[in-house]
Amino acid sequence: MKNRKTMIAYAVFIFILLLLALYLYYSYVIQGQKQEESTAILKAKQTAGLAATDKTWKSVWTETYWVVEGTDAENRKIMVWVPFQTVEDGADIPQQGTQGVHSELLQNGVSEEQIRTAIISANPDLEIVRLLPGVFNGEYVWQLFYKSNNSYFYQFYKFADGSPVGNPFQLPNTLQ
């Protein structure tokens, strides 16, 4: 009986060690992402007058942007696009100075809820996989990644008015 209790204690101890190791590994892996996000929020506060943060997204298309949604000092909803660049060691850092940082009052554009509702009402058969703000061909957009008829697509919509930008990009069909 004593041997069995010892084995159970060892098993529990090993299980707890495995959980701790998984947690430490996860923390290590996301550490860079969290650092980028914090840097983007700080840059948005310094250059665009962001006072409080509600939500952040990382957008990667041809360029990398962190987009921060929050409120300004006058408690108005604001979106801030912060461009990042990759340096020699592979890390992403914000572009120097205020160059490229763009802020827009949410009332002057289309919110996430508004664009999501418009997309679903216009195309009820598609399944939204991801919707995030970004930059496409120099325009501030909502980037939609969706599934329709067993295929995946990207479509961009202007942040200013929600109108589509170009045609959808269909990804090669690997589902069959």
Side-chain angles (χ1 to χ4, degrees):
M1 188 68 143
K2 182 179 178 184
N3 193 20
R4 186 174 185 177
K5 287 183 181 180
T6 304
M7 291 299 283
I8 290 172
Y10 280 134
V12 168
F13 178 72
I14 290 171
F15 180 72
I16 290 172
L17 279 178
L18 284 172
L19 286 177
L20 178 63
L22 283 172
Y23 172 76
L24 291 174
Y25 177 73
Y26 174 76
S27 296
Y28 173 74
V29 168
I30 68 164
Q31 178 181 1
Q33 189 84 351
K34 287 294 183 185
Q35 180 63 37
E36 279 183 31
E37 180 182 38
S38 297
T39 304
I41 291 170
L42 181 62
K43 183 86 167 182
K45 286 181 177 182
Q46 291 171 343
T47 59
L50 185 74
T53 304
D54 295 333
K55 201 170 187 179
T56 59
W57 299 269
K58 184 176 184 177
S59 172
V60 180
W61 191 253
T62 56
E63 299 172 287
T64 301
Y65 279 81
W66 272 90
V67 184
V68 184
E69 180 182 321
T71 53
D72 64 8
E74 297 173 19
N75 207 28
R76 298 176 299 182
K77 288 285 192 182
I78 188 174
M79 297 274 284
V80 183
W81 286 259
V82 180
F84 273 63
Q85 62 189 15
T86 304
V87 291
E88 289 179 12
D89 66 356
D92 285 335
I93 62 169
Q95 289 183 1
Q96 298 302 316
T98 60
Q99 181 181 10
V101 175
H102 177 76
S103 64
E104 192 78 44
L105 290 174
L106 199 54
Q107 68 189 24
N108 296 338
V110 180
S111 72
E112 181 180 8
E113 296 80 26
Q114 290 170 325
I115 194 70
R116 187 178 295 272
T117 301
I119 290 167
I120 291 171
S121 66
N123 307 294
D125 66 325
L126 67 80
E127 174 189 338
I128 295 177
V129 177
R130 183 175 52 246
L131 180 64
L132 59 115
V135 175
F136 178 69
N137 291 340
E139 290 190 73
Y140 301 100
V141 296
W142 285 101
Q143 175 185 322
L144 172 66
F145 180 52
Y146 67 96
K147 179 181 176 185
S148 179
N149 298 326
N150 289 328
S151 293
Y152 287 93
F153 299 86
Y154 278 100
Q155 176 68 55
F156 297 92
Y157 297 89
K158 290 181 184 179
F159 174 77
D161 61 10
S163 62
V165 178
N167 294 320
F169 293 97
Q170 182 175 1
L171 298 180
N173 193 353
T174 57
L175 298 177
Q176 296 176 349

